[in-house]
Short mmCIF file of all heavy atoms in Angstrom, two decimals:
data_model
loop_
_atom_site.label_atom_id
_atom_site.label_comp_id
_atom_site.label_asym_id
_atom_site.label_seq_id
_atom_site.Cartn_x
_atom_site.Cartn_y
_atom_site.Cartn_z
N ILE A 210 -62.04 -51.85 -77.57
CA ILE A 210 -60.93 -52.69 -78.06
C ILE A 210 -61.41 -53.83 -79.06
O ILE A 210 -60.71 -54.10 -80.02
CB ILE A 210 -60.12 -53.28 -76.89
CG1 ILE A 210 -58.94 -54.07 -77.40
CG2 ILE A 210 -61.06 -54.13 -76.02
CD1 ILE A 210 -57.93 -53.31 -78.21
N TYR A 211 -62.59 -54.33 -78.73
CA TYR A 211 -63.09 -55.42 -79.58
C TYR A 211 -63.46 -54.92 -81.04
O TYR A 211 -63.28 -55.57 -81.97
CB TYR A 211 -64.33 -56.11 -78.89
CG TYR A 211 -63.95 -56.65 -77.61
CD1 TYR A 211 -64.76 -56.37 -76.45
CD2 TYR A 211 -62.86 -57.52 -77.42
CE1 TYR A 211 -64.46 -56.92 -75.20
CE2 TYR A 211 -62.57 -58.06 -76.14
CZ TYR A 211 -63.40 -57.71 -75.05
OH TYR A 211 -63.07 -58.25 -73.85
N ILE A 212 -64.05 -53.76 -81.08
CA ILE A 212 -64.42 -53.15 -82.37
C ILE A 212 -63.17 -52.82 -83.15
O ILE A 212 -63.11 -53.11 -84.39
CB ILE A 212 -65.28 -51.87 -82.14
CG1 ILE A 212 -66.65 -52.22 -81.55
CG2 ILE A 212 -65.47 -51.12 -83.48
CD1 ILE A 212 -67.55 -53.09 -82.42
N ILE A 213 -62.14 -52.28 -82.46
CA ILE A 213 -60.84 -51.96 -83.14
C ILE A 213 -60.32 -53.20 -83.73
O ILE A 213 -59.82 -53.29 -84.84
CB ILE A 213 -59.93 -51.32 -82.15
CG1 ILE A 213 -60.43 -49.95 -81.72
CG2 ILE A 213 -58.53 -51.17 -82.78
CD1 ILE A 213 -59.65 -49.30 -80.55
N LEU A 214 -60.33 -54.31 -82.92
CA LEU A 214 -59.74 -55.58 -83.38
C LEU A 214 -60.54 -56.10 -84.54
O LEU A 214 -59.88 -56.66 -85.51
CB LEU A 214 -59.82 -56.60 -82.21
CG LEU A 214 -58.89 -57.79 -82.28
CD1 LEU A 214 -57.36 -57.30 -82.41
CD2 LEU A 214 -59.05 -58.62 -81.03
N MET A 215 -61.80 -55.95 -84.61
CA MET A 215 -62.61 -56.46 -85.72
C MET A 215 -62.39 -55.65 -87.01
O MET A 215 -62.34 -56.17 -88.11
CB MET A 215 -64.15 -56.44 -85.35
CG MET A 215 -64.51 -57.47 -84.33
SD MET A 215 -63.85 -59.12 -84.55
CE MET A 215 -64.37 -59.51 -86.22
N ILE A 216 -62.23 -54.33 -86.86
CA ILE A 216 -61.97 -53.50 -88.01
C ILE A 216 -60.57 -53.89 -88.57
O ILE A 216 -60.40 -53.97 -89.81
CB ILE A 216 -61.99 -51.93 -87.61
CG1 ILE A 216 -63.41 -51.56 -87.30
CG2 ILE A 216 -61.42 -51.13 -88.76
CD1 ILE A 216 -63.55 -50.15 -86.68
N VAL A 217 -59.57 -54.05 -87.75
CA VAL A 217 -58.25 -54.42 -88.15
C VAL A 217 -58.30 -55.80 -88.92
O VAL A 217 -57.68 -56.02 -89.98
CB VAL A 217 -57.25 -54.51 -86.98
CG1 VAL A 217 -55.94 -55.12 -87.44
CG2 VAL A 217 -57.00 -53.11 -86.43
N SER A 218 -59.02 -56.76 -88.35
CA SER A 218 -59.06 -58.07 -88.90
C SER A 218 -59.80 -58.01 -90.29
O SER A 218 -59.34 -58.77 -91.22
CB SER A 218 -59.94 -59.04 -88.03
OG SER A 218 -59.30 -59.10 -86.70
N THR A 219 -60.82 -57.26 -90.38
CA THR A 219 -61.55 -57.16 -91.63
C THR A 219 -60.71 -56.59 -92.71
O THR A 219 -60.63 -57.09 -93.89
CB THR A 219 -62.79 -56.25 -91.51
OG1 THR A 219 -63.65 -56.81 -90.42
CG2 THR A 219 -63.60 -56.17 -92.75
N ILE A 220 -59.97 -55.46 -92.44
CA ILE A 220 -59.13 -54.82 -93.44
C ILE A 220 -57.94 -55.67 -93.75
O ILE A 220 -57.55 -55.84 -94.94
CB ILE A 220 -58.62 -53.47 -92.92
CG1 ILE A 220 -59.88 -52.54 -92.75
CG2 ILE A 220 -57.59 -52.87 -93.86
CD1 ILE A 220 -59.48 -51.20 -92.09
N TRP A 221 -57.35 -56.29 -92.72
CA TRP A 221 -56.13 -57.16 -92.96
C TRP A 221 -56.39 -58.29 -93.96
O TRP A 221 -55.65 -58.44 -94.95
CB TRP A 221 -55.66 -57.73 -91.62
CG TRP A 221 -54.41 -58.51 -91.59
CD1 TRP A 221 -54.22 -59.74 -92.02
CD2 TRP A 221 -53.13 -58.07 -91.13
NE1 TRP A 221 -52.91 -60.17 -91.89
CE2 TRP A 221 -52.20 -59.08 -91.33
CE3 TRP A 221 -52.68 -56.84 -90.58
CZ2 TRP A 221 -50.82 -59.00 -90.98
CZ3 TRP A 221 -51.37 -56.77 -90.22
CH2 TRP A 221 -50.46 -57.78 -90.44
N LEU A 222 -57.44 -59.09 -93.66
CA LEU A 222 -57.68 -60.22 -94.61
C LEU A 222 -58.28 -59.73 -95.90
O LEU A 222 -58.17 -60.40 -96.96
CB LEU A 222 -58.63 -61.22 -93.90
CG LEU A 222 -57.89 -62.09 -92.80
CD1 LEU A 222 -58.97 -62.97 -92.11
CD2 LEU A 222 -56.89 -62.91 -93.39
N GLY A 223 -58.97 -58.62 -95.83
CA GLY A 223 -59.56 -58.05 -97.08
C GLY A 223 -58.39 -57.69 -98.09
O GLY A 223 -58.50 -57.93 -99.24
#
Side-chain angles (χ1 to χ4, degrees):
I210 183 61
Y211 301 129
I212 293 296
I213 294 170
L214 202 54
M215 292 314 308
I216 291 172
V217 170
S218 301
T219 303
I220 295 172
W221 185 282
L222 286 176

